[in-house]
Amino acid sequence: SQQGEEDPQALSIQEGENATMNCSYKTSINNLQWYRQNSGRGLVHLILIRSNEREKHSGRLRVTLDTSKKSSSLLITASRAADTASYFCATVSGSARQLTFGSGTQLTVLP
Amino acid sequence: DAGITQSPRHKVTETGTPVTLRCHQTENHRYMYWYRQDPGHGLRLIHYSYGVKDTDKGEVSDGYSVSRSKTEDFLLTLESATSSQTSVYFCAISDKGAIGELFFGEGSRLTVL
């Protein structure tokens, strides 16, 4: 079963706009990670946020975590055509050794 | 880029034939994972390894077996391939397990006719 579920499933924006993707999960987590996948490629790690953190930044990326609502958001500011990709959240819970992925958000940035 | 190689990258086979996918890493990471990716399902964990000869099942392990006889190689075997195993298979590695980031290979596209 999937722990994380991304919303929306698909998002289309103009270059320069901000893109926000959300992830909801079901059980308490140790950390939450975001990954990007370009078409036909493997996933690339973007950012990890721990359960005791509320916000984290990396370049144009901003991730927030609300453990009371069991949700996270990924904000990409000033988007570029090269940001076109699928974005996945992934969580690990308890003593689990495995990362569970959501089904992803397909982001299209139009030039 | 992390040194992780999957082979073959593409394979077409027939129902009932055995198939082995190989994941090779040069990073000396302890943890290795096999995921499958299907439309609408995201990535689902098949099996993972937390050391040489130490493996465990994931969410969708039925019909799959794995072996890890040395740190750098993690093999995924479909003993008798079925059409439902048509998918893209990704290997991932990590030095910290699920508490750290995973590095993914480029994927192996398997088609079972």
Side-chain angles (χ1 to χ4, degrees), chain B residues 15-36:
Chain B
T15 298
T17 59
V19 175
T20 295
L21 305 180
R22 180 186 185 227
C23 179
H24 178 78
Q25 60 147 331
T26 59
E27 305 296 323
N28 201 36
H29 283 348
R30 176 183 176 188
Y31 298 87
M32 299 185 76
Y33 304 83
W34 276 109
Y35 285 90
R36 61 178 288 175

Side-chain angles (χ1 to χ4, degrees), chain A residues 54-91:
Chain A
R54 292 296 169 259
E55 188 170 312
K56 207 162 183 181
H57 296 256
S58 177
R60 293 184 295 112
L61 306 181
R62 172 177 170 253
V63 169
T64 61
L65 179 64
D66 187 334
T67 54
S68 67
K69 295 182 179 178
K70 293 186 171 58
S71 68
S72 173
S73 67
L74 170 67
L75 168 68
I76 304 174
T77 60
S79 62
R80 306 165 182 169
D83 294 327
T84 294
S86 292
Y87 291 83
F88 296 88
C89 67
T91 57

Side-chain angles (χ1 to χ4, degrees), chain A residues 97-98, chain B residues 3-8 19-36 44-58 60-61 64-78 89-94 102-105 108:
Chain A
R97 292 178 170 142
Q98 47 189 286
Chain B
I4 177 169
T5 306
Q6 292 185 227
S7 60
V19 175
T20 295
L21 305 180
R22 180 186 185 227
C23 179
H24 178 78
Q25 60 147 331
T26 59
E27 305 296 323
N28 201 36
H29 283 348
R30 176 183 176 188
Y31 298 87
M32 299 185 76
Y33 304 83
W34 276 109
Y35 285 90
R36 61 178 288 175
R44 293 179 292 175
L45 183 66
I46 305 171
H47 282 281
Y48 65 98
S49 170
Y50 47 97
V52 173
K53 299 192 188 304
D54 292 322
T55 64
D56 205 351
K57 296 178 180 180
V60 290
S61 59
Y64 302 95
S65 62
V66 290
S67 66
R68 191 171 178 198
S69 59
K70 46 186 178 178
T71 300
E72 56 267 35
D73 288 327
F74 192 33
L75 304 180
L76 177 70
T77 297
L78 292 66
Y89 292 86
F90 286 97
C91 176
I93 63 175
S94 172
L102 269 59
F103 299 93
F104 282 81
S108 295

Side-chain angles (χ1 to χ4, degrees), chain A residues 1-2 33 35 37 41 99, chain B residues 35 37 41 59 100 102 106:
Chain A
S1 59
Q2 289 173 302
Q33 303 182 34
Y35 288 78
Q37 183 181 33
R41 305 296 299 275
L99 207 56
Chain B
Y35 285 90
Q37 184 175 34
H41 289 280
E59 177 188 356
L102 269 59
E106 291 298 297

